[in-house]
Amino acid sequence: MANKKESTFINMVVALLIVTLVAATTLGFVYEFTKAPIALAKLNKKLNAIKLVVPEFTNNPDSIKYEIPVEGGLPVMAYPAYNNEELVGTAIETYTMKGFSGLIKLMVGLAPDGTIHSVSVLEHKETPGLGTHMSDEWYINQYKGKNPGTDNLKVKKDMGEIDAITAATISSRAFSDAVQKAYDAYVNYNIEPESAVVDSTLNTQKEGGENESAN
Amino acid sequence: MSQLTNFTKGLLKENPVFVLLLGLCPTLGVTTTAFNGLGMGLATTFVLVMSNMVVSLVKSGIPDKVRIPAFIVIIASFVTVVELTMQAYLPSLFESLGLFIPLIVVNCVVLGRAEAFASKNNVGSSIIDGLGMGIGFSLALTLLGAIREFLGTGEVFGLQIFDSSYGMIVFILNPGAFIVLGYLILVVNRLNKA
Amino acid sequence: MTYFVIIITAVFVNNIVLMQFLGICPFLGVSKKISTAAGMTGAVAFVMVIATIVTYLIQKSVLDVFEIGFLQTITFILIIASLVQLVEIILKKVSPALFQALGVFLPLITTNCAILGVAIMTIQKDYNLLEGVVFAIASAVGFGLALILFAGLREHLDLMNVPKGMKGVPIAFVVAGILAMAFLGFSGLV
């Protein structure tokens, strides 16, 4: 420890400056280098989730996505899937805050008439071994082919048609809530497609304003 | 101290988790499965080795009073490298480790080794020290993760050993982390005394 | 209502120590006596709130503007480290009494992952500044609640006849596990 350097104000400032500069530059390079793979990984994850929930498509749904405002919450994102100019389904990236540990994000695939094609789980923090079973096939299969407009998607405890996951009723309820939210958003949006498409930004603002005055 | 004991001390005698009780937040937080524990352990090992190496390389150029801030910057840089790389090439692991990746930076094991060892020793021993400590840390996390995964779901590394319906969920949940770690420390204490 | 939900969630449901495993080191280190636990809680609360405000402002006015979000970790830890130093210096000058009470705990706080964790979570959860402050205060209260409860249990533990091998850290962990089990009862509340 003979080589302990004396601390003067100038050499302290210089040393720290050099260390931070080198660190920041190196990180800048690493960031540039990993930027493309990170974006690709995120896009792939999204496209894979979309592929799981809608019939085969030929376009890139990510390039024509649109936002649907949700009353009293964040908007949901919709990814229309076309197979040679024909709309085969729309994947809705939906969410709920009612999970056992809060946020659950799902990708719900709806046929043009609103029937559920399939659902996949994007993100959740539910209890391993309990709520995590929401990704299981038997559970998701219950939702397939149902139309939230005519079928009751609530769990059986709440007089609905869905068998809840054992010991994870809250997660199951939240799952249904998110699916219902996707359907409601999709149907509301498609009732007045013209005005909604043209004035989607205007609409959002107007609704936001109303909400505020209502509160 | 020979390089061999320098390396092996981190495994059991001075195991950062079981004996030094450092870096407990990620230890408890990510070990719901053996795989997550191993991933976290390896990420921390990388940061440990690299920051130990760089700290021992630059130690003579850094004035004593700004030593700690400089070390923190070096460590934080390597943490960010891990963060970006994992996000790019192992996105699913990145998601399950979540907040605990940036938190490697405040893992006392890393700063502790930089300050207590790398700032006083040459590059070679510092790397070996970092490697030994990192592997000791990974071992501890993997072991804890494997035990919790086994008791909770009947799996180890995703391999089904007994039916998951017999699993005791409490071991996957938070209380299980504390309890299993408590008993593991007991066992390691015994082994070290013997 | 949002604030109420944030508070209940941060104090009970997602208690920062027992449910999120942040700040375990001080949780074990300074929980042998209720009085030191209270002192640590005060110091953490103080730094946590200031750190959340400063990191939030830096994130919104610098990192987001220049699109250098990847420097978040390095920036935040530097802010927290210098903030702790600053608080130490100011406290020494302005309020020696408070410094006496919190002083010994301050240096330990830089490497308390609860502080950095709360600062990052505030950004991740997309809170606004006021929500972030409420979240930071509630997290600190949750930290204090866990720490002081645990300290109380450990004080009693000293008087118990604990098997020899379990004395000290192992039994403390098992007790923490049982405490966490109690907090599990709050799950699903919000």
Side-chain angles (χ1 to χ4, degrees), chain A residues 10 16 30 34 37 58 61-63 72 81 98 104 122 141 145 182 203 209 211:
Chain A
I10 294 177
L16 272 190
V30 176
T34 52
T58 50
D62 190 56
S63 60
K98 293 182 181 160
I104 298 174
L122 293 176
N141 279 343
N203 253 356
N211 279 345

Side-chain angles (χ1 to χ4, degrees), chain A residues 32-75:
Chain A
E32 281 304 316
F33 187 69
T34 52
K35 202 158 82 179
I38 290 177
L40 191 70
K42 279 188 181 155
L43 182 66
N44 272 341
K45 197 188 159 208
K46 204 182 270 174
L47 286 181
N48 282 337
I50 296 173
K51 262 180 210 149
L52 277 176
V53 298
V54 293
E56 207 173 327
F57 55 88
T58 50
N59 67 326
N60 174 6
D62 190 56
S63 60
I64 45 166
K65 62 184 174 190
Y66 56 90
E67 231 178 51
I68 310 178
V70 170
E71 212 170 305
L74 297 164

Side-chain angles (χ1 to χ4, degrees), chain C residues 131-143:
Chain C
E131 283 168 344
V133 172
V134 172
F135 177 62
I137 296 172
S139 297
V141 171
F143 178 79

Side-chain angles (χ1 to χ4, degrees), chain B residues 10 13 29 32-33 41-43 50 56 72 88 115-116 121 131 142-143 148 154 163 171 178 184:
Chain B
K13 269 232 137 50
T32 47
T33 66
L42 293 182
M50 296 307 281
S56 79
I72 291 181
E115 164 70 2
N121 288 285
L131 204 60
T142 315
L143 186 63
R148 287 179 67 191
D163 194 80
F171 285 104
F178 286 112
L184 276 177

Side-chain angles (χ1 to χ4, degrees), chain B:
Chain B
M1 189 170 20
S2 80
Q3 295 294 29
L4 187 68
T5 47
N6 186 16
F7 176 71
T8 51
K9 70 175 190 286
L11 302 185
L12 195 63
K13 269 232 137 50
E14 286 182 37
N15 186 293
V17 174
F18 296 138
V19 181
L20 304 179
L21 301 176
L22 295 174
L24 292 176
C25 302
T27 304
L28 294 164
V30 304
T31 50
T32 47
T33 66
F35 183 74
N36 283 355
L38 184 64
M40 186 69 202
L42 293 182
T44 312
T45 306
F46 172 78
V47 176
L48 252 170
V49 172
M50 296 307 281
S51 60
N52 255 10
M53 182 180 86
V54 173
V55 163
S56 79
L57 275 175
V58 300
K59 62 176 184 285
S60 54
I62 307 247
D64 197 43
K65 274 190 186 152
V66 291
R67 188 175 82 242
I68 301 287
F71 292 171
I72 291 181
V73 174
I74 293 168
I75 294 167
S77 313
F78 286 114
V79 171
T80 312
V81 170
V82 169
E83 210 177 336
L84 290 171
T85 321
M86 201 181 263
Q87 210 173 348
Y89 301 106
L90 292 165
S92 57
L93 182 63
F94 178 78
E95 259 169 46
S96 51
L97 298 183
L99 189 61
F100 285 102
I101 292 286
L103 288 182
I104 295 176
V105 75
V106 281
N107 187 329
C108 324
V109 180
V110 184
L111 187 62
R113 289 331 282 177
E115 164 70 2
F117 195 93
S119 68
K120 291 167 194 153
N121 288 285
N122 63 29
V123 183
S125 340
S126 298
I127 292 176
I128 291 173
D129 175 76
L131 204 60
M133 282 291 162
I135 292 173
F137 188 72
S138 310
L139 267 181
L141 261 67
T142 315
L143 186 63
L144 187 59
I147 293 177
R148 287 179 67 191
E149 194 184 356
F150 177 71
L151 293 175
T153 64
E155 298 175 9
V156 174
F157 279 110
L159 205 77
Q160 199 81 43
I161 294 182
F162 63 83
D163 194 80
S164 68
S165 52
Y166 296 113
M168 292 169 274
I169 305 290
V170 72
F171 285 104
I172 294 285
L173 295 171
N174 300 32
F178 286 112
I179 293 172
V180 173
L181 184 59
Y183 278 100
L184 276 177
I185 291 173
L186 171 78
V187 172
V188 172
N189 277 348
R190 252 290 143 77
L191 286 179
N192 272 338
K193 254 179 220 151

Side-chain angles (χ1 to χ4, degrees), chain C residues 40-183:
Chain C
M40 186 68 186
T41 307
V44 165
F46 202 67
V47 177
M48 197 180 271
V49 173
I50 302 175
T52 306
I53 296 172
V54 177
T55 51
Y56 182 87
L57 294 177
I58 296 277
Q59 172 83 26
K60 295 293 163 190
S61 64
V62 181
L63 296 184
D64 283 356
V65 174
F66 295 103
E67 293 182 0
I68 44 173
F70 65 96
L71 289 178
Q72 191 191 51
T73 311
I74 203 169
T75 320
F76 280 19
I77 188 67
L78 278 182
I79 293 173
I80 291 169
S82 28
L83 214 63
V84 171
Q85 293 271 306
L86 214 66
V87 167
E88 207 174 339
I89 295 167
I90 294 174
L91 220 53
K92 211 188 241 170
K93 286 259 156 66
V94 178
S95 166
L98 198 59
F99 180 76
Q100 278 276 307
L102 305 183
V104 281
F105 302 110
L106 282 171
L108 292 172
I109 284 182
T110 314
T111 50
N112 182 339
C113 46
I115 311 272
L116 183 61
V118 166
I120 296 179
M121 276 195 278
T122 304
I123 306 295
Q124 276 181 353
K125 293 185 185 214
D126 220 9
Y127 283 148
N128 63 34
L129 186 56
L130 192 58
E131 283 168 344
V133 172
V134 172
F135 177 62
I137 296 172
S139 297
V141 171
F143 178 79
L145 183 69
L147 200 63
I148 290 167
L149 279 177
F150 191 51
L153 288 171
R154 281 185 89 175
E155 279 187 3
H156 282 275
L157 218 53
D158 284 343
L159 308 171
M160 296 292 145
N161 188 9
V162 179
K164 202 170 142 224
M166 288 297 278
K167 270 200 177 115
V169 180
I171 189 73
F173 268 114
V174 174
V175 169
I178 294 167
L179 192 58
M181 236 181 261
F183 269 75

